Structure formats: structure tokens, C-alpha cells
Amino acid sequence: VLAVTAAPVRADEVQGRAIVVAGEGMVSAAPDMAEVSAGVQTRAATARAALDQNNNAMAKVLDALKKAGIADKDVQTSRLNLSPAYDRNPGNGERRPNGYLVSNSVIGPAPLLPASSDAHVLSRSLPIGVTRPMPVTTTRRMGHSLPR
């Protein structure tokens, strides 16, 4: 039978009898995943027309993401905004309502491909009408072992 008891210890009693260990480490690895964002902005006389135009443009973006290997379930809307559009009167600088703007952006993970690849998501996005290309961020997937 082993019994262990502990009594409170004052800080001044520990001095000289403590072991302190400090360490630092760093790991680096090449990214294996990219996060792609793309969006479109449309402007029309009515809110309904701006939304319809935006939906049509986003359908092309979503199709391009699918063709690049990004599953529908992985694509998320990151921003959807409907707001009045204004023009400025050049004579007096006053803002005048002039239709509606719709901005819509999506984000999704993509396999990291060389920029020269014709499957590269960004190379496909501008010709199909992406008006708001956003930075691609790269990352290393959690849970995947690092090469030795």
C-alpha cells in the first residue's frame, strides 16, 4: 500500500528546490490546400433585376468552382448584400438614387494546383464574370502528417 500526502508549501520554501524547463519548437510545411473566394457585383434599375442578374452570374461562378473540384457542400456564401446605388450630381455633389447594387461572394476549399494549370480556379473565374476576385489563402490541412 502506497499513500501520498501533500501539505501546502510556501513560495520561499520552494526556492532552490524547483526545476524549471522551457522549450521552443518550430515546424514548417508546404501548404496543401487553398481557400478560394470569388464574387460578383451587379447593378440594375430595380432590386429584383439586380438580384436576378447576380443570381445568373453566381451560377456561372458556382459551376466553375464545381469544375475545379470543389464540392457543392464545401462552398459557403461569405457575403450577400443588396443596397441602393447612388450617383453624384456633378453640379452640386448631391447623391441621387440610381438603382440597386447586389454583391455576392462565396468561399470554398480547393486542392492546391500550380498557377499554370488550366484547372486553376482563378484562371477560370475572370472569363466567366467574377467581378470581385479575392485573395487565395493557403493552408496545411489539420490531421495530415508532414513529410519526413
Side-chain angles (χ1 to χ4, degrees):
V1 174
L2 176 64
V4 177
T5 61
V9 178
R10 295 189 336 237
D12 61 341
E13 292 176 0
V14 174
Q15 201 165 28
R17 292 190 289 165
I19 297 174
V20 177
V21 177
E24 184 177 320
M26 184 169 67
V27 175
S28 62
D32 65 352
M33 229 24 210
E35 190 168 78
V36 178
S37 298
V40 295
Q41 185 174 46
T42 54
R43 183 177 183 156
T46 66
R48 172 76 316 188
L51 281 167
D52 288 345
Q53 289 175 14
N54 199 279
N55 288 337
N56 290 335
M58 281 306 292
K60 293 176 184 175
V61 171
L62 295 172
D63 186 53
L65 293 175
K66 184 185 281 188
K67 287 178 181 173
I70 302 174
D72 288 340
K73 68 178 181 62
D74 293 330
V75 177
Q76 298 177 2
T77 298
S78 60
R79 180 171 189 241
L80 177 60
N81 185 52
L82 169 66
S83 60
Y86 295 93
D87 286 334
R88 291 218 179 261
N89 182 330
N92 60 16
E94 287 182 10
R95 291 178 6 146
R96 297 178 299 195
N98 185 17
Y100 292 86
L101 286 173
V102 175
S103 297
N104 190 352
S105 301
V106 293
I107 190 167
L112 198 56
L113 300 169
S116 61
S117 168
D118 52 272
H120 192 265
V121 175
L122 288 183
S123 68
R124 291 179 177 207
S125 66
L126 295 177
I128 59 151
V130 169
T131 58
R132 300 176 59 89
M134 296 169 201
V136 173
T137 57
T138 56
T139 187
R140 182 93 186 157
R141 287 179 281 185
M142 295 298 292
H144 288 87
S145 62
L146 297 174
R148 295 184 186 260

